[in-house]
Amino acid sequence: MTNIRLSKSVVGIEEKNAVMQVLDEGFLGMGREVQLFENELQAFLKTRNEVICVNTGTSALHLALQAIGIGAGDEVLVPNITYVASFQAITATGATPVLVDVNLDTVFIDLEDAESRITKNTKAIMPVHYASDSQKMDDVHAFAKLHNLRVVEDAAHSFGSYRSGSLVGSECDVLCFSFDGIKNITAGEGGAIVTGDRKIIEYVRDARLLGVEKDTEARYQGIRSWDFDVKEQGWRYHMSNVMAAIGRAQLKKIEAFGSHRKQCAEHYLELMSGISNIEPLNLSYKENVPHIFPVKVLSNNRDELISYLREQKIECGVHYKPGSQLERYKSESHYPNSELLYKQLLTLPLHADLSRKEQDYVFAAIKKFNIGKL
Ligand SMILES: *Cc1c(COP(=O)(O)O)cnc(C)c1O
């Protein structure tokens, strides 16, 4: 058995041909291909919201926050357990991320803890669809309404997932996807902002192109703007045609990728059912397209298990080290659930190429370790 990958990009001849075509056409930067990808994403989501593509999920979050007016002096509520991108996107605006503890069963932001951390400077909340789950999002919107906050959803994990029968992104206020190499679909890096808010749409379309006004429209027609104006700080955050070509080819595979990831999750749940010290999270695996498959190891030797699995050529990980334990985001305050979860969480391999045989091998190894040790 070769190394079992924790996650990986799954691309084929379709992506290669699409990139070759862009290279042959000779327009590599942002142009028609990006417009087509945005239109196809919107059609896929069956939404009236617009989709605006950028170069990473992190820049999508940064621009979304910037667009709703977040800046220096503002505070944004964010779960303590998330990828560091969520925190950095907040600080990129000059605002302060206020770390919030998470729910023990779902690793979703804990709204009771969030409430206790609200101050007069709190302007927004950024819930994370951890392991692709956003089933409690209605509660976040109710909470935000009550406290007069904007919501920016970090949906980096959950492209292709459903919530209450609707695709994630079809009915949202402001939501960001990531298309980095290992997410549910990739554009070889990439991200998108999904919103129906005209002010945000207009702001983001310019801001991703250094703030050059109406440059998006020009580029989609293959024109460069020479006589333009700039009124706001902008960034070089646009998506390129090369990336969009990969993204378009991947989007055609989302049904296949999604059902494969779901089947893998189901099989893991079956394999796990006989093992008392390993517990799944309480997520909606029927509706989610799981980007990662974290479990809880209910013993004090999770790290030994990780080392053992690595010796067996099984890559695994921990998603994520709490922000409160990172130098830049350190906090005096206590996060009992995050601290416990950081000792228990173990992410098992999951990607669109993972075979049933590999999953069986993972659990055979866990069982072998389990005997007498767990
Ligand atoms: C991947 C990820 C991001 C950022 O996406 P990039 O495309 O890598 O910049 C943000 N939040 C979470 C939770 C992620 O996993």
Side-chain angles (χ1 to χ4, degrees):
M1 187 80 67
T2 53
N3 228 23
I4 299 181
R5 299 273 297 271
L6 175 60
S7 53
K8 74 179 210 190
S9 313
V10 177
V11 292
I13 191 70
E14 298 80 7
E15 288 80 0
K16 290 176 192 166
N17 287 339
V19 169
M20 286 302 281
Q21 198 181 326
V22 169
L23 297 181
D24 285 340
E25 284 166 5
F27 291 96
L28 276 53
M30 185 173 127
R32 206 175 65 96
E33 211 53 43
V34 175
Q35 184 180 28
L36 290 172
F37 188 34
E38 290 177 342
N39 293 344
E40 287 164 9
L41 286 165
Q42 187 186 27
F44 168 75
L45 295 174
K46 294 191 188 67
T47 181
R48 295 173 63 175
N49 287 334
E50 295 220 15
V51 181
I52 305 149
C53 285
V54 290
N55 60 346
T56 66
T58 309
S59 49
L61 291 168
H62 176 199
L63 290 187
L65 290 165
Q66 198 81 37
I68 60 170
I70 300 296
D74 296 334
E75 292 174 0
V76 179
L77 299 165
V78 62
N80 190 17
I81 294 192
T82 179
Y83 187 44
V84 65
S86 314
F87 309 135
Q88 294 280 40
I90 296 168
T91 47
T93 68
T96 305
V98 173
L99 309 181
V100 176
D101 211 359
V102 294
N103 186 292
L104 270 180
D105 300 326
T106 57
V107 196
F108 195 69
I109 193 165
D110 180 334
L111 293 176
E112 244 177 74
D113 191 57
E115 184 147 39
S116 74
R117 297 179 192 274
I118 288 183
T119 72
K120 63 178 187 342
N121 298 322
T122 312
K123 294 284 159 54
I125 180 167
M126 188 199 279
V128 174
H129 297 196
Y130 181 86
S132 312
D133 199 274
S134 63
Q135 305 302 327
K136 291 279 188 285
M137 197 55 65
D138 288 348
D139 296 349
V140 175
H141 282 286
F143 174 87
K145 202 167 171 197
L146 188 67
H147 297 286
N148 198 21
L149 308 175
R150 281 303 287 256
V151 181
V152 174
E153 294 180 53
D154 179 344
H157 291 188
S158 60
F159 188 79
S161 298
Y162 285 79
R163 177 171 66 246
S164 316
S166 310
L167 269 168
V168 166
S170 58
E171 298 165 15
C172 57
D173 181 14
V174 192
L175 179 143
C176 297
F177 288 122
S178 162
F179 305 130
D180 86 19
I182 56 164
K183 296 284 161 56
N184 287 352
I185 63 166
T186 184
E189 301 298 343
I193 296 143
V194 186
T195 184
D197 185 324
R198 293 270 18 128
K199 266 176 73 179
I200 299 180
I201 295 163
E202 276 156 33
Y203 174 86
V204 170
R205 285 177 139 224
D206 289 349
R208 69 176 164 176
L209 286 161
L210 293 171
V212 174
E213 288 194 331
K214 305 264 185 278
D215 201 24
T216 286
E217 291 72 6
R219 286 186 184 235
Y220 286 164
Q221 294 161 35
I223 307 167
R224 262 203 107 114
S225 329
W226 296 109
D227 179 17
F228 57 78
D229 202 3
V230 174
K231 296 195 188 105
E232 306 245 20
Q233 170 68 52
W235 290 268
R236 199 75 171 146
Y237 278 176
H238 62 277
M239 179 178 272
S240 74
N241 277 348
V242 177
M243 300 167 79
I246 300 172
R248 292 181 67 202
Q250 288 266 301
L251 183 56
K252 295 201 180 83
K253 301 181 179 179
I254 183 61
E255 300 297 343
F257 285 168
S259 66
H260 188 90
R261 282 176 178 274
K262 278 185 190 178
Q263 276 166 23
C264 287
E266 247 165 61
H267 191 48
Y268 270 145
L269 291 173
E270 282 164 21
L271 287 167
M272 210 182 320
S273 64
I275 302 179
S276 58
N277 289 329
I278 295 196
E279 211 176 64
L281 294 173
N282 183 19
L283 309 180
S284 175
Y285 286 107
K286 288 217 158 33
E287 290 208 292
N288 304 340
V289 171
H291 156 56
I292 49 173
F293 194 86
V295 297
K296 288 199 273 181
V297 181
L298 304 175
S299 68
N300 58 7
N301 58 355
R302 192 262 334 250
D303 290 343
E304 275 175 58
L305 175 58
I306 291 181
S307 310
Y308 179 77
L309 293 176
R310 286 188 183 147
E311 279 164 28
Q312 306 303 305
K313 294 188 179 301
I314 298 164
E315 290 180 6
C316 35
V318 177
H319 291 83
Y320 300 88
K321 186 173 183 178
S324 56
Q325 296 182 32
L326 302 175
E327 174 77 27
R328 182 164 160 83
Y329 299 106
K330 244 188 345 236
S331 132
E332 293 298 299
S333 111
H334 281 292
Y335 296 91
N337 291 357
S338 309
E339 282 153 24
L340 181 61
L341 283 167
Y342 185 50
K343 294 193 189 114
Q344 294 183 333
L345 286 173
L346 165 69
T347 305
L348 300 176
L350 180 63
H351 52 75
D353 237 6
L354 187 71
S355 70
R356 192 165 261 255
K357 216 172 118 199
E358 288 175 315
Q359 291 190 274
D360 293 342
Y361 177 79
V362 170
F363 265 85
I366 290 175
K367 278 186 180 145
K368 225 188 263 170
F369 176 85
N370 196 10
I371 297 167
K373 283 201 178 168
L374 216 57

